[in-house]
Amino acid sequence: MYSTILRTNIPLRGLTTSATSSQLPSLPVSDFEAPAYRGPTYEKIVELQKTRLTPNVTPYYKKPLLIHSGRMQWLFDHEGRKYLDMFGGIVTVSVGHCHPKINAALADQMDTLWHTTNIYMHPKIHEYAYRITETMPGNLKKVYFVNSGSEANDLAILMARLHTGNHEIISFRNAYHGASPLTMGITAHSTWRFPLPGVSNGIIHAMNPDPFLGHWGGKYCRDSIAQTIRECNCEDGNSCEASDKYYHELEQIFRFSLPRGKVAGMFAESIQGVGGTVQYPKGYIKKAAKLVRANGGIFISDEVQSGFGRTGDHFWGFQEHGIIPDIVTCAKGIGNGFPIGAVITTPEIAQCLDRALHFNTFGGNPLASAVGIAVLDVIEEEELQKNSKIVGTCLIKGLLELQKKYEIIGDVRGKGLMIGVELVEDRNTRKPLSIPHVIEIWEKCKDLGVLLGRGGLNGNVFRIKPPMCINTQDVDFTLQVLDHILESRNA
């Protein structure tokens, strides 16, 4: 019933004639009817939002949605309106909202055992530890469970420093790795940084190797069917001039900003998420990892958004770069919306945690572990990695056709179902589209039934990272909505 792969042969519509895009796109049919909303009134919810929640809890949209039900790729508001979720709860709902197999696994565990903490053994954490480490290459066979991506990256910093005996950590400008007091340092977005002393202690931000907005990059740099419109001197192959130049800049950090031969580690998202789905030039990450290790450090892959088959070709995003990291951090899609995260590493690095007590009350609890196992089962049984590749490629190709049609689309990038669309005022200068215009398009997408994320430092990148169960009918609808809105702007 919930298999998606068999539905990926539906042809795209809506991009072949101008007449089609002038008509309001119709939502695909869903066989699920949401239950009636029975909560507080919308007005009461708005009041509680303002008076009882901290001011940083700010919902999307001018008139925020009150979502009360979800099923697979669909969300439903308090008035019964249906929305296609093309953001997956910030790249978190990996296999579908309220997927029946995940629900059943959770309900079964709830009737058996909720919580003991790991002062006692319970079967699910051990079963899950085996299952998730079996997805890893090499000697990445030790796992510590936490509750979020920030916690996972926080612990990875600690382990890198303990294991190497060094202090400095490198991350990229434009990276997002969390918002805890420690991970705020390796997050290099001014919008996510509070003015606190010590946040950047021992943290160095390297030049972001961005083929679209960075100093170097061109039409052969990415491992993707979607390349930048910039020209470059590279040949259409494995060599990349931009990669070499960005790597040279990284070498300067080791020459001038670090104690010689002493770095604790380097963090990198396999594809940057919050930063706007930025892909690095081919070969860069592999060379960077080698440089870090040559200087006494370890390489940490942040798979919080790019893992679990989302990029299509591989189960883990770092495999796209031809490396085996020393530590892998993951969260979000690992639990399909249930709070769980993990740090996966080698036995040698894991050994550093025996130097003092380290404990996480809820990490790997029976409920989270049962959900994690079920998520892995669904990804395998429903071939969602394959679906990400087929459907994601279909979506990227459709977005590239829209890019040819509308100058406002400066860049399309990504792999599988991890996609970014950057809106610009001028393609030649790559000047970002102003926020009011971005928000106008974004709001209209919502009004027509498509929910998109936004990212990038300037907030002008649409982040398209839906549940991996979407099909080409959903792709078709999303493209028709964007086509309709952009054509209306030009009218």
Side-chain angles (χ1 to χ4, degrees):
M1 179 179 179
Y2 292 95
S3 175
T4 57
I5 203 71
L6 298 178
R7 294 181 288 176
T8 57
N9 59 349
I10 300 167
L12 287 176
R13 305 181 305 275
L15 299 181
T16 55
T17 66
S18 59
T20 305
S21 59
S22 66
Q23 302 166 0
L24 283 177
S26 298
L27 276 161
V29 176
S30 166
D31 59 1
F32 176 76
E33 186 173 336
Y37 176 67
R38 302 186 186 280
T41 64
Y42 184 88
E43 292 72 24
K44 182 64 176 178
I45 292 291
V46 170
E47 177 194 339
L48 293 172
Q49 171 78 30
K50 294 177 179 178
T51 61
R52 300 295 175 169
L53 296 179
T54 54
N56 58 303
V57 182
T58 53
Y60 271 5
Y61 303 116
K62 294 174 184 177
K63 183 180 179 181
L65 295 176
L66 178 52
I67 299 294
H68 87 105
S69 178
R71 193 69 162 189
M72 304 308 286
Q73 64 267 52
W74 300 103
L75 290 172
F76 302 84
D77 71 11
H78 67 296
E79 294 181 330
R81 286 189 291 264
K82 182 174 75 168
Y83 301 89
L84 177 60
D85 183 7
M86 294 298 285
F87 197 27
I90 314 184
V91 209
T92 299
V93 179
S94 50
V95 303
H97 293 281
C98 296
H99 190 291
K101 181 155 188 169
I102 311 297
N103 285 5
L106 181 58
D108 183 63
Q109 187 59 49
M110 288 172 66
D111 288 338
T112 307
L113 179 69
W114 275 46
H115 180 73
T116 66
T117 301
N118 296 320
I119 55 173
Y120 310 114
M121 291 192 296
H122 59 88
K124 289 300 180 184
I125 188 175
H126 298 85
E127 294 173 26
Y128 188 37
Y130 176 79
R131 287 288 303 278
I132 194 164
T133 55
E134 281 296 290
T135 69
M136 289 285 170
N139 203 28
L140 293 166
K141 298 304 178 189
K142 289 282 188 175
V143 58
Y144 188 89
F145 293 110
V146 292
N147 307 292
S148 70
S150 291
E151 283 187 35
N153 285 328
D154 200 296
L155 180 59
I157 294 173
L158 174 68
M159 293 174 74
R161 287 172 168 168
L162 285 174
H163 176 71
T164 64
N166 301 328
H167 186 66
E168 273 74 17
I169 299 283
I170 300 171
S171 66
F172 289 131
R173 299 170 196 163
N174 198 56
Y176 179 88
H177 296 287
S180 68
L182 194 55
T183 58
M184 193 185 300
I186 56 173
T187 289
H189 274 242
S190 57
T191 49
W192 292 93
R193 293 170 65 86
F194 286 90
L196 298 173
V199 165
S200 296
N201 181 25
I203 305 295
I204 299 172
H205 297 144
M207 179 183 285
N208 195 38
D210 182 348
F212 180 67
L213 289 180
H215 288 313
W216 307 287
K219 60 183 180 181
Y220 301 124
C221 290
R222 295 179 184 144
D223 176 23
S224 173
I225 61 169
Q227 300 288 348
T228 75
I229 57 175
R230 299 172 70 182
E231 294 296 326
C232 67
N233 296 321
C234 308
E235 296 180 1
D236 188 3
N238 293 322
S239 63
C240 181
E241 187 178 87
S243 177
D244 294 338
K245 290 180 176 180
Y246 285 118
Y247 178 74
H248 175 74
E249 290 298 314
L250 180 63
E251 285 183 311
Q252 303 317 299
I253 288 177
F254 286 83
R255 291 186 65 196
F256 296 105
S257 302
L258 289 169
R260 183 161 295 180
K262 292 187 180 296
V263 64
M266 181 174 182
F267 276 78
E269 301 163 86
S270 295
I271 297 176
Q272 288 180 341
V274 173
T277 321
V278 173
Q279 290 178 275
Y280 316 120
K282 290 179 289 188
Y284 176 90
I285 289 295
K286 192 169 187 175
K287 290 182 290 189
K290 184 177 180 180
L291 180 63
V292 169
R293 288 164 175 159
N295 284 272
I298 62 176
F299 194 84
I300 301 117
S301 285
D302 181 335
E303 293 287 327
V304 170
Q305 296 192 30
S306 56
F308 296 91
R310 177 164 292 278
T311 58
D313 285 331
H314 299 93
F315 195 82
W316 297 106
F318 64 77
Q319 293 171 300
E320 311 276 349
H321 299 288
I323 66 165
I324 299 177
D326 301 293
I327 294 178
V328 177
T329 59
C330 44
K332 289 187 179 287
I334 190 175
N336 198 49
F338 197 93
I340 181 173
V343 178
I344 304 170
T345 189
T346 65
E348 294 76 18
I349 295 174
Q351 198 64 42
C352 71
L353 291 178
D354 72 351
R355 300 178 195 175
L357 291 176
H358 190 282
F359 190 72
N360 190 302
T361 300
F362 297 106
N365 69 77
L367 297 176
S369 297
V371 167
I373 292 168
V375 168
L376 291 177
D377 287 341
V378 171
I379 291 172
E380 180 180 352
E381 291 166 6
E382 299 189 6
E383 298 183 287
L384 294 184
Q385 178 182 326
K386 183 178 179 182
N387 196 61
S388 292
K389 180 176 177 64
I390 295 173
V391 178
T393 299
C394 183
L395 178 52
I396 291 170
K397 287 180 177 179
L399 291 167
L400 289 171
E401 288 301 311
L402 289 179
Q403 184 184 25
K404 294 176 184 176
K405 190 173 178 181
Y406 301 107
E407 287 288 320
I408 197 174
I409 299 178
D411 196 35
V412 175
R413 50 186 178 255
K415 292 197 74 171
L417 287 173
M418 190 160 185
I419 301 168
V421 178
E422 182 144 356
L423 303 181
V424 297
E425 288 187 10
D426 186 301
R427 279 192 183 176
N428 293 323
T429 64
R430 289 161 283 148
K431 181 181 179 181
L433 187 67
S434 63
I435 287 298
H437 292 300
V438 175
I439 289 178
E440 176 192 10
I441 298 167
W442 185 56
E443 290 270 357
K444 287 181 178 178
C445 286
K446 178 262 295 180
D447 292 341
L448 291 179
V450 175
L451 304 182
L452 303 174
R454 287 197 303 118
L457 185 62
N458 299 298
N460 65 316
V461 181
F462 286 155
R463 297 172 64 196
I464 305 176
K465 298 157 187 183
M468 295 186 292
C469 60
I470 70 162
N471 57 53
T472 50
Q473 286 178 307
D474 305 321
V475 166
D476 187 15
F477 174 64
T478 301
L479 293 170
Q480 287 184 55
V481 165
L482 285 168
D483 192 24
H484 175 84
I485 293 168
L486 296 179
E487 185 173 77
S488 297
R489 288 184 87 253
N490 291 346

